[in-house]
């Protein structure tokens, strides 16, 4: 299965990226021309820039998830209710998240634009403004991602060695110091998984862009994965070769991170 | 064991499905998933089978959007006999890839060259006909009659009158023109009409066929007229965040007065609560005096796949779809216009206005994204949206379009 559905398509994509092909007629070998064109394509740089933004800002979900997890890791009556409320955004589909935030931002009736109008007197349609649009989508993406990181940390917190915490308490450690020197090191595995999931999640951001803006206005919220879809498979696309070239670039970027993670994992195993 | 059995059953079923083509049966794939089109198709198929008792139609109905990518797969892998599609350059890739059948003989044998005259050029590539049109609808400006009356505005016939009307509406605190450009294509309507009125049909066709550079001064002239509206703030603000349907409440609530759209918008306006006396329809005003008025009228079509197994019966089906009776009945259900000029006139008041306008039109364009090559259309409409938000970037926009045109059409 892995061979047929994962490995073979990778090499097929690389192969197609050297061709000019509309999915109907014969493939035409054009060598590196797709890549040359990509280097000269403004949308490619916009997507790349936005992907970096996604990568950096998406990481905010890790400290945010930790904060929420610490807050929820108390024994107060009704905490289960709060937990499920915070858990909620992770359960619903990304498409629904996208739609909810689209309404939230919508000019004239959206809660967000209403409050902005109340505060500043003018409306800002964030999804129609090239300056804000990517940030607005990332905020929507952070919502479920924070919930995800929170879950990872909650599981981690369950496995904290209570004896160590007690010992530290006896030595007079409190608050931030306790968190930094005793709790966080024990949460390192959870942090690692959260990093991996978040980095890869940010690079394959697609659903929210597709639902909220379709890459617009005029391509300013493009990311590589949506750009690839649009070029290769959408109504106005069907440039399989060009789409494949974008996919290969995205694949290479992902490989950098995945290799970093694997190297780290291996070195940890060796030390253990 | 039962699991295995059902699996083989599934496989068998799939095998049967893919080879359904005995004599007397035609397989029809189409995208008539919305309620009205679905009903129209059901009636059409029933009538066809009644008229040709020896033939049964096996209909695979696809969802509207998914069809656009599905058609590429089934045409190459396992072709049905008849497929629904669109006229103009939208059918060009399938024609050049040899996936559509030449149906010039159907046109000649049934007198269609005369009866379907208005759409003939849109169905012709290399001097041959590649399908049969069955429906189209008009584009134009829908406006709030009551608001126009309140403000003392007559439906404008010239560009100067149009600008004056916009100014008057704006002064009264009403957005003159509503539009939602999130899905990009509504911008294409504005470009089409401005270009058709500033430079004429022939130039517009040359441009969408990639024969004229976008840096041509005549293209710039079109954008300058557009800029007069954009810079004066006559369009709905933040249009880039909303879809075409979301622009209609503005009109229903009386906050906006005009909407350049296809006739399908009327149904949504009525759903929103507007009555027939509140909605008016007018032809896009004249800009360059003396240029004959051409209109946008996107046409839907049926084609025969070149890999079809039952071409004889498929041709009978196409001839049936082209007939005045079938077109009149189908379009009465669809709420659109029959292409056949012998067909009975529709009863709807907006369709009658459209019918008269299109019958007297100098020529018909299909719409920017159907006339231009798909890649060009995408870049073009993105550029139109950018222009409507940042009109001062015109030079950069035109240069970028020219870059795309040079690549796409070579």
């Amino acid at each position: 299965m892995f061979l047929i559905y994962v490995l073979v398509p990778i090499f097929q994509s690389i192969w197609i990226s050297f061709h000019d092909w509309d999915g109907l007629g014969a493939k035409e070998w054009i060598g590196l021309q797709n890549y040359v064109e990509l280097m000269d394509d403004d949308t490619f740089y916009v997507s790349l820039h936005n992907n970096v933004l996604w990568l950096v800002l998406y990481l905010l979900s890790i400290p945010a998830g930790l904060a929420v997890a610490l807050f929820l890791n108390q024994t107060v009556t009704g905490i289960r209710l709060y937990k499920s409320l915070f858990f909620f955004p992770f359960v619903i589909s990304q498409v629904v998240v996208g739609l909810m935030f689209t309404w939230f931002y919508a000019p004239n009736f959206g809660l967000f634009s209403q409050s902005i109008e109340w505060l500043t007197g003018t409306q800002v349609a964030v999804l129609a403004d090239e300056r804000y649009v990517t940030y607005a989508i990332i905020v929507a993406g952070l919502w479920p991602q924070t919930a995800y990181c929170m879950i990872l940390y909650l599981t981690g917190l369950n496995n904290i060695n209570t004896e160590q915490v007690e010992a530290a308490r006896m030595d007079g450690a409190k608050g931030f110091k306790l968190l930094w020197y005793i709790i966080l090191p024990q949460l390192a595995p959870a942090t690692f998984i959260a990093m991996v999931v978040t980095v890869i999640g940010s690079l394959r951001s697609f659903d929210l862009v597709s639902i909220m803006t379709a890459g617009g206005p005029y391509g300013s919220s493009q990311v590589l994965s949506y750009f690839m879809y649009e070029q290769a498979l959408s109504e106005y696309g069907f440039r399989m070769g060009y789409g494949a070239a974008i996919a290969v670039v995205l694949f290479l970027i992902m490989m950098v991170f995945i290799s970093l993670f694997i190297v780290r994992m291996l070195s940890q195993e060796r030390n253990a | 064991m039962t699991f295995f059995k059902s699996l083989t059953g599934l496989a068998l079923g799939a095998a049967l499905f893919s080879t359904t083509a005995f004599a007397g049966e035609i397989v029809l794939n189409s995208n008539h998933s919305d309620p009205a089109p679905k009903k129209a198709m059901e009636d059409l198929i029933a009538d066809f089978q009644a008229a040709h008792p020896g033939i049964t139609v096996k209909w695979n109905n696809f969802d509207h959007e998914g069809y656009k990518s599905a058609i590429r797969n089934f045409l190459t892998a396992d072709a049905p006999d008849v497929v629904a599609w669109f006229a103009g350059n939208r059918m060009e890739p399938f024609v050049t890839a040899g996936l559509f059948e030449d149906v010039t003989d159907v046109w000649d044998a049934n007198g269609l060259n005369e009866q379907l005259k208005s759409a003939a050029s849109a169905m012709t590539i290399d001097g041959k006909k590649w399908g049969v049109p069955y429906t189209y609808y008009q584009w134009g400006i829908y406006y709030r009659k009551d608001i126009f009356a309140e403000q003392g505005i007559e439906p404008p016939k010239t560009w100067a009158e149009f600008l004056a009307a916009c100014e008057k509406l704006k002064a009264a605190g009403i957005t003159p023109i509503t539009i939602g450009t999130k899905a990009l294509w509504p911008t294409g309507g504005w470009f089409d009409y401005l270009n058709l009125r500033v430079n004429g049909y022939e130039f517009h066709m040359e441009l969408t066929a990639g024969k004229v550079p976008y840096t041509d001064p005549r293209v710039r002239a079109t954008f300058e007229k557009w800029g007069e509206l954009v810079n004066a703030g006559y369009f709905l603000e933040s249009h880039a965040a909303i879809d075409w349907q979301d622009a209609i409440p503005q009109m229903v609530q009386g906050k906006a007065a005009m909407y350049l759209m296809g006739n399908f918008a009327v149904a949504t306006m009525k759903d929103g609560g507007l009555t027939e006396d509140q909605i008016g329809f007018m032809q896009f005003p004249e800009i360059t005096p003396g240029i004959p008025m051409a209109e946008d009228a996107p046409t839907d079509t049926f084609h025969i796949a070149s890999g079809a197994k039952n071409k004889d019966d498929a041709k009978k089906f196409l001839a049936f779809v082209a007939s005045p009776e079938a077109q009149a009945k189908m379009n009465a259900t669809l709420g659109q216009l029959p292409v056949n000029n012998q067909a009975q006139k529709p009863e709807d008041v907006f369709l009658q206005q459209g019918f008269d306008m299109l019958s007297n039109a100098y020529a018909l364009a299909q719409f920017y994204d159907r006339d231009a090559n798909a890649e060009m259309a995408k870049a073009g409409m993105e550029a139109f949206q950018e222009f409507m938000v940042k009109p001062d970037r015109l030079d950069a926009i035109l240069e970028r379009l020219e870059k795309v045109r040079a690549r796409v059409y070579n």
Side-chain angles (χ1 to χ4, degrees):
Chain A
M1 286 293 260
F2 186 70
L3 191 77
I4 297 175
Y5 288 108
V6 179
L7 291 181
V8 174
I10 289 176
F11 289 104
Q12 273 178 336
S13 295
I14 297 174
W15 178 244
I16 292 174
S17 75
F18 298 123
H19 292 85
D20 182 20
W21 186 37
D22 65 354
L24 290 174
K27 293 194 197 80
E28 190 194 338
W29 175 269
I30 53 167
L32 287 175
Q33 213 174 300
N34 279 326
Y35 293 92
V36 174
E37 193 192 322
L38 199 57
M39 291 301 125
D40 191 35
D41 191 334
D42 298 337
T43 316
F44 175 67
Y45 292 103
V46 174
S47 321
L48 211 57
H49 175 250
N50 284 338
N51 260 124
V52 172
L53 272 183
W54 268 89
L55 187 65
V56 173
L57 293 178
Y58 221 44
L59 289 175
L60 287 177
S61 64
I62 297 176
L66 176 65
V68 179
L70 287 173
F71 168 69
L72 290 179
N73 195 40
Q74 306 168 45
T75 36
V76 192
T77 41
I79 199 72
R80 273 163 199 272
L81 177 70
Y82 291 118
K83 269 189 195 172
S84 45
L85 280 179
F86 278 95
F87 191 68
F88 173 71
F90 180 64
V91 181
I92 54 179
S93 135
Q94 291 267 323
V95 177
V96 179
V97 173
L99 283 176
M100 285 169 69
F101 271 84
T102 309
W103 293 326
F104 178 58
Y105 293 137
N108 296 321
F109 67 89
L111 193 60
F112 179 79
S113 53
Q114 291 274 324
S115 359
I116 291 285
E117 192 177 13
W118 183 71
L119 280 174
T120 64
T122 47
Q123 288 233 357
V124 184
V126 280
L127 292 183
D129 194 315
E130 59 179 42
R131 286 168 299 174
Y132 310 126
V133 61
T134 300
Y135 297 99
I137 304 175
I138 296 174
V139 167
L142 279 176
W143 190 46
Q145 190 65 21
T146 301
Y148 193 11
C149 293
M150 175 203 84
I151 295 162
L152 293 172
Y153 277 120
L154 274 180
T155 352
L157 284 171
N158 273 338
N159 297 327
I160 290 277
N161 188 335
T162 41
E163 282 172 24
Q164 263 189 33
V165 179
E166 288 301 311
R169 281 244 165 85
M170 301 260 255
D171 290 343
K174 272 197 302 209
F176 186 73
K177 269 197 167 160
L178 183 74
L179 177 71
W180 189 253
Y181 290 105
I182 307 297
I183 312 276
L184 270 189
Q186 293 196 54
L187 287 176
T191 310
F192 179 66
I193 298 290
M195 279 283 278
V196 174
V197 170
T198 307
V199 166
I200 294 188
S202 73
L203 285 175
R204 25 157 268 179
S205 50
F206 173 90
D207 358 27
L208 288 174
V209 175
S210 166
I211 294 290
M212 294 175 73
T213 63
Y218 38 89
S220 53
S221 65
Q222 280 285 9
V223 289
L224 285 174
S225 57
Y226 191 75
F227 185 34
M228 167 193 76
Y229 160 78
E230 205 172 67
Q231 292 294 324
L233 299 166
S234 76
E235 191 176 347
Y236 302 115
F238 293 108
R239 303 182 66 203
M240 299 294 178
Y242 197 55
I246 303 168
V248 169
V249 171
L250 183 59
F251 176 69
L252 290 177
I253 297 174
M254 285 219 190
M255 277 314 275
V256 172
F257 286 99
I258 294 171
S259 328
L260 279 177
F261 290 136
I262 291 179
V263 165
R264 205 194 109 109
M265 230 150 66
L266 286 179
S267 70
Q268 268 182 346
E269 266 174 32
R270 214 167 292 138
N271 292 339
Chain B
M1 192 61 205
T2 47
F3 173 69
F4 183 71
K5 253 189 194 161
S6 60
L7 252 186
T8 42
L10 260 179
L12 257 175
L16 275 176
F17 176 76
S18 61
T19 52
T20 39
F22 331 110
E25 177 173 292
I26 54 174
V27 180
L28 166 69
N29 285 8
S30 81
N31 55 343
H32 295 93
S33 53
D34 297 326
K38 193 167 172 231
K39 172 86 172 50
M41 278 304 285
E42 282 163 357
D43 291 348
L44 175 76
I45 290 170
D47 291 346
F48 173 71
Q49 288 176 341
H52 297 269
I55 309 172
T56 44
V57 178
K58 190 176 175 306
W59 179 33
N60 303 315
N61 196 7
F62 287 73
D63 107 86
H64 195 71
E65 288 303 311
Y67 187 74
K68 289 169 187 162
S69 49
I71 187 172
R72 306 178 78 93
N73 296 333
F74 61 66
L75 277 181
T76 44
D78 178 36
D81 299 293
V82 179
V83 294
W85 197 237
F86 313 104
N89 263 340
R90 269 299 174 93
M91 66 176 189
E92 193 254 8
F94 298 115
V95 173
T96 42
L99 294 168
F100 278 172
E101 182 80 5
D102 172 11
V103 293
T104 316
D105 53 338
V106 179
W107 282 65
D108 293 341
N110 295 287
L112 302 183
N113 292 315
E114 202 38 53
Q115 293 178 20
L116 304 176
K117 209 163 130 198
S118 59
S121 69
M123 301 307 298
T124 310
I125 294 177
D126 296 337
K128 293 172 193 152
K129 304 282 192 302
W130 299 96
V132 165
Y134 64 93
T135 185
Y136 61 9
Y137 55 86
Q138 80 272 17
W139 270 67
I141 298 179
Y142 293 86
Y143 63 95
R144 282 284 301 265
K145 252 189 206 167
D146 45 342
I147 296 182
F148 268 44
E150 257 168 49
Q151 303 294 330
I153 302 170
E154 284 292 310
K157 294 248 184 281
T158 64
W159 187 245
E161 285 172 21
F162 184 68
L163 288 178
C166 288
E167 204 186 326
K168 211 164 186 182
L169 288 164
K170 175 114 182 158
I174 299 165
T175 308
I177 307 159
T178 184
I179 184 172
T181 65
K182 184 176 168 188
L184 297 180
W185 59 262
T187 61
W190 276 97
F191 180 76
D192 280 356
Y193 269 107
L194 287 164
N195 201 32
L196 286 169
R197 294 288 184 265
V198 171
N199 297 311
Y201 176 77
E202 283 76 17
F203 177 79
H204 185 67
M205 284 298 127
E206 276 176 35
L207 180 74
T208 48
K211 289 174 192 147
V212 185
Y214 276 80
T215 42
D216 190 289
R218 286 170 292 179
V219 180
R220 177 175 289 272
T222 299
F223 275 99
E224 271 161 13
K225 290 288 171 213
W226 203 344
E228 288 175 22
L229 303 177
V230 174
N231 289 322
Y234 291 158
F235 287 104
L236 180 71
E237 249 184 280
S238 61
H239 52 80
I242 60 175
D243 271 324
W244 74 268
Q245 296 98 330
D246 305 332
I248 284 180
Q250 295 284 326
M251 220 170 135
V252 174
Q253 294 162 15
K255 290 185 196 159
M258 291 187 272
Y259 201 4
L260 175 67
M261 256 293 140
N263 189 60
F264 51 83
V266 172
T268 318
M269 289 177 191
K270 285 184 183 164
D271 286 346
L274 289 182
T275 61
E276 224 157 72
D277 338 314
Q278 289 177 294
I279 312 171
F281 173 76
M282 64 180 172
Q283 193 174 21
F284 198 91
E286 179 184 72
I287 298 180
T288 308
I291 283 190
M293 304 277 243
E295 309 293 332
D296 261 347
T299 308
D300 291 355
T301 54
F302 280 113
H303 306 263
I304 299 178
S306 58
K309 283 145 201 139
N310 189 354
K311 285 180 191 167
D312 291 340
D313 289 343
K315 284 183 177 172
K316 284 182 195 147
F317 182 79
L318 255 55
F320 183 81
V321 168
S323 68
E325 300 78 34
Q327 295 219 338
K329 187 171 177 192
M330 215 180 160
N331 282 290
T333 317
L334 286 171
Q336 295 185 170
L337 293 168
V339 183
N340 193 311
N341 52 22
Q342 314 283 314
Q344 208 188 346
K345 259 196 186 185
E347 280 172 17
D348 180 86
V349 53
F350 297 104
L351 285 177
Q352 275 178 1
Q353 288 177 328
F355 194 84
D356 294 340
M357 184 180 85
L358 294 186
S359 320
N360 296 318
Y362 167 68
L364 298 183
Q366 287 299 309
F367 198 72
Y368 186 76
D369 70 345
R370 294 191 191 187
D371 285 326
N373 164 292
E375 258 179 79
M376 189 68 236
K378 164 85 179 143
M381 295 189 304
E382 216 165 73
F384 302 155
Q385 190 196 37
E386 182 165 0
F387 176 74
M388 287 184 71
V389 182
K390 305 269 175 192
D392 47 310
R393 289 189 195 161
L394 181 59
D395 290 309
I397 290 173
L398 290 179
E399 262 159 47
R400 198 176 67 228
L401 283 183
E402 179 51 22
K403 198 166 116 184
V404 176
R405 186 196 70 93
R407 180 175 55 71
V408 169
Y409 292 98
N410 274 325

